[in-house]
Amino acid sequence: MKLVGWLAVLMAFCQLAHGQDALARTRLKESGDIWVGQKSTLIVELLAPGYFDGAAAFDLPKVPGVLIFPPVGSPVVSTETIGDAAYTVQRHELMVFAQRPGTIVIPSSEVRINFKRQPLDHDSIPQTVKTQEVSFKAVLPPGAEAGQALVSSDDLDVIETWQPVPGSKAKTGDAFVRTISWSASDIPGMAFPPFVAGSIPGLGIYPADPLVDDRSERGELQGKRVDKVTYVCKTGGHFVIPPFTVHWWDPAAKEMKHKDFEARVFDVPMPPEPPVPWTAKLHRGWRAYGMLTIGILGGAVLLALLAYRFRDALVRFLARLRPRHLAPLNPPSVVPVRK
């Protein structure tokens, strides 16, 4: 008899749901103003006139200055009767982080679902439902600057490590790996402010993709992200890796907090000049004296040709330059030779 009773209730439920469309309801869990960088929860309830068949697919809206994350884990399922129609309800929670102050408007978006009106139906019914627009006001914490990447958390932890630690001396080719680890409750890893490595002349700077390791235990989210940057000494010189400061708002203490990481200063001696191979020396000497040598040789050949062509005139010209000796005015007397 109990089985028959349950079947009757099930059939009545399906008949009441027959012909109805799926619905969506949207609201914000928090009330009042929300701090910039603080997590707020967007609750989306999906109502199917029958039974859900598969997971819902969310088309998240893109809002400038706002991070919206899809639901994590399984939804909370219940039933509800509206008028004469019975529905199965899925309750999803989306995390929202405002990164700018002012009025935040989350527009309507689409959610794609599949459902069956009766549990034994072979084919499911696809339908797209729309959420409602939701708005709230985000407030900049006291002491924070507009446009500053900010996190609101009462247990934020940031750790910096180096492998190896840059010392006072280094050499060309040395590499230093900088690791920055972020962790906080109720904040996903991708919501932490990105680390900007910048550029330093003479150093190769290579940031890696962030490693995100978010974990959920008993409904509590623990977000973690690891940023890694590798600095490579490409040439000699005096280098300063600038200091790094993290700012965040502690809503429990209602104060701005910060953590400073010191600058790293080191010197890299200029590498010695590599030996020049003989081929390079020959090439360098040819570039420096080749045209001069060609000019001198060409001039000598030209002079030789001209001398050969005009040799008779040259001989006469040189003869004119030869000194002439005049006969003496008082020639010496001839002394007879005695026999």
Side-chain angles (χ1 to χ4, degrees), residues 290-322:
M291 296 304 296
L292 178 61
T293 304
I294 291 176
I296 294 174
L297 292 177
V301 171
L302 181 60
L303 289 175
L305 292 175
L306 291 174
Y308 180 78
R309 177 68 178 80
F310 302 101
R311 60 184 181 279
D312 295 336
L314 182 62
V315 169
R316 291 194 297 268
F317 176 75
L318 294 176
R320 292 178 182 178
L321 298 179
R322 188 178 303 160

Side-chain angles (χ1 to χ4, degrees), residues 61-198:
K62 295 182 179 179
V63 183
V66 179
L67 298 177
I68 304 177
F69 294 89
V72 178
S74 301
V76 178
V77 180
S78 61
T79 59
E80 184 176 334
T81 301
I82 302 177
D84 295 333
Y87 294 86
T88 301
V89 182
Q90 286 187 355
R91 184 175 185 268
H92 299 267
E93 294 188 354
L94 288 70
M95 291 181 291
V96 178
F97 293 86
Q99 297 182 309
R100 59 175 176 85
T103 300
I104 305 297
V105 178
I106 302 176
S108 172
S109 60
E110 294 183 345
V111 184
R112 299 184 301 277
I113 65 172
N114 291 277
F115 67 93
K116 295 180 179 181
R117 297 193 183 278
Q118 298 184 15
L120 300 181
D121 287 347
H122 293 288
D123 298 328
S124 60
I125 301 173
Q127 187 176 340
T128 299
V129 297
K130 287 191 173 184
T131 64
Q132 293 82 40
E133 180 183 286
V134 174
S135 63
F136 63 93
K137 185 177 181 181
V139 180
L140 192 67
E145 299 179 0
Q148 177 184 7
L150 193 63
V151 171
S152 292
S153 173
D154 56 4
D155 65 349
L156 176 68
D157 189 22
V158 186
I159 300 174
E160 179 192 58
T161 58
W162 288 87
Q163 185 61 39
V165 178
S168 58
K169 293 290 184 181
K171 63 181 183 298
T172 304
D174 284 354
F176 307 101
V177 180
R178 183 184 202 176
T179 303
I180 301 175
S181 302
W182 310 73
S183 63
S185 301
D186 284 339
I187 298 180
M190 293 307 297
F192 293 116
F195 175 73
V196 181

